[in-house]
Amino acid sequence: MAHDVDLFVIGAGSGGVRAGRISAGYGARVMVAEDYRVGGTCVIRGCVPKKLYVYASRFADEVDEAKGFGWEAGEPRFDFAALKAAKDKEIDRLEGAYRNTLGNAGVTLVETRATVAGPHAVRLADGRTVTAGTILVATGAWPYLPSATPGIHLAETSNDIFEWTALPRRVVIVGGGYIAVEFACALSRMGSEVTVVIRRDKVLRGFDEDLRDALMNEMAQSGIRILTGTDVVGLDGRPGNINVTLLNGDGIAAEHVVYATGRVPNTKGLGLLEAGVELDADGAIRVDRFSRTAVPSIYAVGDVTNRVNLTPVAIREGHAFADSVFGGREVAVDHSGIPSAVFSTPEIGTVGQTEDEARALGREIVIFRTSFRPMKATLSGSPSRTLMKLVVDKATDRMLGVHILGEGAGEMIQCVGIAMRMGATKRDFDMTMAVHPTAAEELVTLRTPVAG
Ligand code: NDP
């Protein structure tokens, strides 16, 4: 049966754009629907603008630390509105580049909401139906807000931060995951008074315990107030002047309250269940290793599948989908050993198993760890410390995990990730000559285990 297109992609984010472009390159007739802006979360209101804000915030330290190296400058002034305008301009440019990518690949972009109307049919918001040989759902995820909390309508999410035109004096951030710690560190350095409210005793559940402790210390030292073991029971007031009530009855006044309490897959109202696509308990689309759903002609990639919710993973999944369905070779994405970074300040780079994970798997392990003041701190006076930790398998000497907190951790962990993928042993690290003087050289000069 002839369809209108070979592939219909719902969502022009990282996964959808890559899948559409590569499929078109294989000769498929591709249509992509997007109801917001081309580029998705990463480009428009995620990784990219976030990293620009993180860069902006770190100049606060640089200006201060430069004094130790003989620099004298006037009193620094930070213009948040100027940063936002520059950010908006860059995001517009990137969105244009994404549009060009699709156009140059011969992909048709329809700027409207699309829903699944059957195994081979998609309905557009204007009522038109498009038939497709294959449908790819790449609709991403959306911030989760606990709707039962009284006054939750006063809360904002990371999406809203990128629309702020002025830096708030006081901000409350609820949650202790990636997004919470990244914005807490960035907004605090820009000059806001930041309070983080977490229901457990530490931020970043799932990360290595030493890293979690060290980051909490660094955050507290830089002036961020972290309230642990509590929760928000209600918000009242009005936008710009909100009172946050905690479990013990204490109140905190803030201009903005940001919830960074996780994200939920964008599957509601997409017609998926009606078409026979299966969802899990969290509403994520169930897929096999080739990103195929329970309906053979419908696939899904990226955050909507809630596998590993990172941009490079969505891109790989989108590419593998195109190779498998239109490129004539089945490719499954390997979701193991993915290096990742958290752009807190100081930042985190991590790959492989944490100490607790390795022990829980019943492995005998050897731990190497160092915590030091980086060389720059000797003159800058910064109290910040760098932490590095290696988790090594005792029996095979294989490196099971590498965890870094400190300047450049994100950059370092990308390279460590290659070594880990190649099956590096501790001896391989030891045999590698150090690059001196760097912080990264500690990774290859650690000789004395702290635990085994
Ligand atoms: P995370 O899942 O990382 O963290 C959610 C946080 O919110 C946790 O601290 C969790 O606490 C807390 N929480 C959840 N529900 C509630 C609730 N009802 N009340 C109070 N606290 C709650 O989500 P994020 O929103 O930070 O980020 C979403 C995903 O986006 C990440 O998992 C990651 O995959 C991706 N991301 C990646 C980045 C990067 O690579 N640098 C940057 C930003 C996002 P608890 O620990 O108790 O469950």
Side-chain angles (χ1 to χ4, degrees):
M1 195 178 105
H3 297 292
D4 297 331
V5 293
D6 300 312
L7 171 64
F8 195 104
V9 182
I10 306 181
S14 301
V17 167
R18 175 60 67 95
R21 173 169 74 82
I22 302 299
S23 299
Y26 287 131
R29 295 167 303 144
V30 182
M31 190 176 278
V32 176
E34 172 58 56
D35 66 355
Y36 183 55
R37 294 179 65 182
V38 177
T41 300
C42 173
V43 174
I44 306 297
R45 47 194 170 195
C47 327
V48 175
K50 180 274 308 288
K51 188 82 187 274
L52 295 175
Y53 277 24
V54 168
Y55 280 131
S57 70
R58 288 180 181 168
F59 285 108
D61 297 337
E62 295 282 323
V63 169
D64 198 37
E65 292 174 9
K67 290 179 193 136
F69 291 87
W71 286 92
E72 251 183 64
E75 196 52 38
R77 224 177 44 82
F78 173 59
D79 183 345
F80 187 84
L83 170 66
K84 181 187 183 291
K87 179 271 291 179
D88 286 345
K89 200 169 156 208
E90 172 57 9
I91 300 310
D92 287 349
R93 187 192 68 78
L94 272 175
E95 184 181 7
Y98 266 69
R99 284 173 184 279
N100 287 342
T101 298
L102 287 175
N104 294 342
V107 171
T108 306
L109 175 67
V110 284
E111 299 192 48
T112 179
R113 183 169 165 80
T115 53
V116 174
H120 292 284
V122 172
R123 187 160 304 120
L124 307 185
D126 63 9
R128 265 186 303 155
T129 296
V130 179
T131 62
T134 303
I135 297 168
L136 176 69
V137 184
T139 47
W142 193 251
Y144 159 78
L145 286 166
S147 54
T149 304
I152 196 71
H153 62 277
L154 292 166
E156 292 172 282
T157 70
S158 54
N159 291 347
D160 302 298
I161 295 179
F162 294 121
E163 300 306 322
W164 293 353
T165 50
L167 183 72
R169 217 159 51 77
R170 284 171 306 186
V171 185
V172 170
I173 299 180
V174 184
Y178 282 77
I179 295 179
V181 299
E182 290 182 340
F183 279 110
C185 294
L187 293 172
S188 159
R189 274 175 178 71
M190 288 177 188
S192 293
E193 200 179 284
V194 177
T195 304
V196 177
V197 178
I198 55 174
R199 56 187 182 183
R200 292 174 200 267
D201 60 337
K202 289 180 198 175
V203 294
L204 293 181
R205 180 160 56 88
F207 284 71
D208 192 89
E209 294 299 315
D210 286 331
L211 243 59
R212 298 174 76 188
D213 290 333
L215 179 62
M216 295 259 294
N217 278 338
E218 294 279 344
M219 287 172 71
Q221 197 168 260
S222 72
I224 297 167
R225 187 158 69 128
I226 307 180
L227 304 177
T228 58
T230 186
D231 214 340
V232 173
V233 294
L235 306 174
D236 59 85
R238 54 178 173 74
N241 187 2
I242 303 168
N243 184 53
V244 179
T245 307
L246 301 177
L247 267 179
N248 63 0
D250 283 357
I252 317 170
E255 285 149 71
H256 292 275
V257 178
V258 176
Y259 269 69
T261 43
R263 297 171 64 86
V264 285
N266 269 329
T267 48
K268 272 212 188 104
L270 275 184
L272 294 166
L273 289 173
E274 296 81 346
V277 173
E278 288 174 9
L279 307 182
D280 70 14
D282 298 321
I285 298 179
R286 276 190 216 278
V287 288
D288 69 10
R289 42 198 289 272
F290 299 106
S291 298
R292 192 196 297 252
T293 71
V295 180
S297 57
I298 303 181
Y299 290 71
V301 295
D303 289 4
V304 77
T305 64
N306 200 17
R307 286 176 278 184
V308 179
N309 300 330
L310 298 172
T311 297
V313 177
I315 291 172
R316 277 286 168 93
E317 289 168 357
H319 204 124
F321 156 83
D323 287 343
S324 303
V325 178
F326 297 103
R329 61 189 180 107
E330 287 215 308
V331 180
V333 173
D334 179 358
H335 289 93
S336 67
I338 297 171
S340 73
V342 182
F343 295 101
S344 46
T345 303
E347 69 190 34
I348 283 178
T350 180
V351 60
Q353 294 166 15
T354 65
E355 178 175 352
D356 287 354
E357 277 167 358
R359 289 198 196 286
L361 287 167
R363 291 185 193 272
E364 262 202 83
I365 53 173
V366 188
I367 301 294
F368 296 84
R369 185 176 49 223
T370 178
S371 167
F372 57 94
R373 279 183 80 200
M375 186 178 175
K376 193 172 157 195
T378 56
L379 295 198
S380 74
S382 164
S384 193
R385 298 183 74 82
T386 291
L387 175 81
M388 290 181 179
K389 180 169 176 180
L390 310 180
V391 181
V392 180
D393 189 40
K394 194 168 189 176
T396 63
D397 198 42
R398 276 277 296 267
M399 199 65 82
L400 298 176
V402 176
H403 310 282
I404 306 172
L405 174 83
E407 192 176 337
E411 305 291 340
M412 283 184 241
I413 211 69
Q414 179 68 81
C415 303
V416 172
I418 302 170
M420 297 273 289
R421 167 113 337 234
M422 294 175 76
T425 59
K426 175 68 168 60
R427 186 177 142 76
D428 291 324
F429 272 55
D430 294 348
M431 294 286 290
T432 304
M433 202 65 84
V435 178
H436 186 70
T438 64
E441 69 182 305
E442 296 286 329
L443 290 170
V444 298
T445 54
L446 277 171
R447 294 291 184 270
T448 315
V450 292

